[in-house]
């Protein structure tokens, strides 16, 4: 499998997970079960879907849109994301969503950070309490653009792309975990080794940014991986929805994504459809899990019919984005590799 297959897999897996979770996001596990049974394919947003009413099956949400926005800024900035430019792109994105009549608007940390920025606060302070999963949901392009040779450098790149909105140990740790897992898969790591890299990067990221109270992401990923490894699907769904947690808090949803990657690493379709059924922030959990498993298996190993639908419904052309990110990656990779 080529590096490009894996990179395309990361972004395709992100979009596929996001679209699978779109119709169930913000619903309880019980409400999902009573309406859909177990989600096993792309479904439209129902009329009463709180965030995605009446959207066609396969439609992606903020996770994919903001990840692609970050990718474009990374490519245009030669690997550097200017925090003010990123903030302004996020604000424009939300304006466009409102114009389209969408209810999928900025998350709590990003919204608070942008309003502080307008009030004149420094971009180093605006994300001081951003501990939700917004940085992690959109970080996959950084994992494609930056190799894992030196995890401190990778975490630096995560911080640069996240600090304006999620400048906390928890927010950065969650994003570092996703970026490192994606990047390690692109480097050809086994899935087990890639998830180990995620833990290490989360430990490094957890000491960056402003301190905020909450469970330690690295420790929680390590614990969750060991705990869920032998579980049946039913036990895993209980574990994720009742104990690990599915809220927008990074120490819940990011850990949930890694628990699913650990247990269903061989089978991306099962991992992502179970993610779409667990309740809470299903689209983001599935998007993060999809980025990691897509990077590991490559685009060709994702369910082709579903990926084709997601590409068509959203008019996604991921090739140029992937090529731009890989050009950044090759410049950061010491000669002699690849
Ligand atoms: Mg979303």
């Amino acid at each position: 499998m080529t590096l490009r297959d894996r990179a395309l897999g990361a972004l395709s897996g992100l979009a596929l997970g996001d679209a699978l979770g779109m119709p169930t996001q913000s619903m309880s596990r019980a409400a999902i079960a009573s309406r859909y049974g177990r989600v096993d394919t792309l479904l439209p947003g129902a009329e009463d879907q709180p965030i995605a009413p009446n959207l066609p099956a396969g439609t992606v949400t903020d996770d994919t849109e903001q990840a692609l926005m970050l990718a474009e800024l990374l490519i245009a900035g030669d690997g550097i994301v200017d925090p003010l430019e990123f903030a302004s792109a996020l604000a424009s994105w939300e304006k466009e969503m409102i114009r389209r009549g969408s209810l999928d608007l900025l998350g709590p940390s990003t919204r608070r950070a942008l309003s502080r920025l307008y009030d004149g606060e420094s971009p180093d302070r605006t994300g001081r309490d951003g501990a939700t999963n917004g940085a992690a949901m959109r970080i996959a392009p950084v994992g494609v653009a930056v190799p894992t040779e030196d995890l401190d450098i990778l975490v630096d790149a995560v911080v640069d792309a996240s600090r304006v909105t999620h400048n906390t140990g928890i927010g950065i740790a969650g994003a570092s975990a996703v970026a490192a897992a994606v990047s390690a898969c692109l480097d050809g790591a086994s899935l087990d080794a890639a998830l180990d890299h995620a833990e290490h990067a989360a430990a490094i990221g957890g000491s960056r940014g402003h301190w905020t109270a909450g469970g330690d992401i690295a420790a929680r990923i390590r614990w969750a991986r060991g705990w869920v490894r032998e579980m049946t699907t039913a036990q895993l769904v209980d574990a994720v929805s009742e104990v690990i947690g599915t809220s927008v808090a990074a120490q819940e949803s990011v850990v949930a994504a890694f628990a699913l990657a650990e247990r269903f690493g061989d089978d991306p379709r099962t991992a992502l459809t179970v993610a779409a059924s667990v309740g809470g922030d299903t689209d983001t959990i599935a998007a993060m899990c999809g980025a990691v498993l897509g990077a590991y298996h490559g685009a060709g190993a994702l369910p082709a019919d579903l990926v084709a639908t997601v590409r068509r419904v959203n008019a996604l052309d991921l090739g140029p984005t992937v090529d731009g990110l890989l050009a950044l990656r090759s410049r950061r990779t010491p000669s002699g590799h690849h």
Side-chain angles (χ1 to χ4, degrees):
M1 192 190 314
T2 66
L3 176 63
R4 192 172 188 280
D5 289 329
R6 293 186 189 276
L8 196 55
L11 299 190
S12 303
L14 164 83
L16 175 59
D18 186 12
L20 282 165
M22 174 275 287
T24 57
Q25 62 185 315
S26 299
M27 292 172 67
S28 72
R29 172 191 173 189
I32 295 167
S34 78
R35 176 163 296 182
Y36 298 112
R38 161 124 178 259
V39 177
D40 65 356
T41 192
L42 295 164
L43 298 166
E47 201 175 24
D48 59 351
Q49 190 351 284
I51 298 175
N54 303 312
L55 290 187
T59 307
V60 297
T61 78
D62 57 345
D63 309 68
T64 305
E65 295 195 355
Q66 292 184 17
L68 293 178
M69 176 197 304
L70 176 59
E72 293 315 318
L73 289 173
L74 271 169
I75 294 165
D78 225 8
I80 311 254
V81 179
D82 177 69
L84 297 180
E85 220 178 296
F86 188 35
S88 133
L90 287 164
S92 306
W93 173 84
E94 185 175 61
K95 269 197 200 119
E96 173 60 18
M97 295 302 277
I98 292 169
R99 196 192 61 76
R100 281 194 250 158
S102 170
L103 302 177
D104 189 17
L105 305 178
L106 294 174
S109 299
T110 299
R111 172 176 305 285
R112 199 163 53 231
L114 295 193
S115 102
R116 286 174 181 160
L117 206 56
Y118 296 135
D119 290 345
E121 290 198 42
S122 150
D124 288 319
R125 301 258 316 143
T126 48
R128 64 183 176 271
D129 47 13
T132 46
N133 57 22
M137 80 177 188
R138 61 191 176 221
I139 205 67
V142 169
V144 176
V146 184
T148 46
E149 228 119 22
D150 182 337
L151 279 180
D152 283 295
I153 292 176
L154 178 68
V155 172
D156 287 345
V158 169
V159 171
D160 284 345
S162 307
R163 70 188 169 97
V164 71
T165 56
H166 294 78
N167 199 4
T168 63
I170 291 174
I172 294 166
S176 298
V178 174
V182 165
S183 184
C185 291
L186 265 63
D187 284 336
S190 68
L191 185 60
D192 205 43
L195 302 184
D196 288 348
H197 272 82
E199 287 177 19
H200 295 151
I204 297 169
S207 65
R208 304 287 181 89
H210 297 261
W211 182 83
T212 186
D216 181 88
I217 301 238
R220 282 176 59 75
I221 292 174
R222 187 177 325 118
W223 155 75
R225 287 176 63 201
W227 187 43
V228 306
R229 203 165 282 148
E230 309 292 331
M231 285 184 178
T232 64
T233 302
Q235 288 169 333
L236 180 77
V237 172
D238 286 346
V240 169
S241 71
E242 294 169 10
V243 183
I244 294 172
T246 59
S247 76
V248 295
Q251 71 269 25
E252 295 197 353
S253 37
V254 173
V255 177
F258 279 95
L260 288 156
E262 171 71 38
R263 175 61 187 83
F264 296 120
D266 293 338
D267 181 356
R269 183 176 182 136
T270 298
L272 302 187
T273 53
V274 170
S277 308
V278 292
D281 206 0
T282 52
D283 60 322
T284 297
I285 294 169
M288 295 185 291
C289 184
V292 174
L293 294 185
Y296 177 66
H297 290 279
L302 294 172
D305 51 337
L306 303 187
V307 171
T309 300
V310 171
R311 284 213 187 105
R312 178 175 48 75
V313 167
N314 304 284
L316 284 182
D317 180 12
L318 298 173
T321 307
V322 161
D323 292 335
L325 294 172
L326 287 178
L328 296 175
R329 185 184 190 91
S330 71
R331 275 195 286 133
R332 288 195 186 243
T333 304
S335 56
H337 293 261
H338 300 297

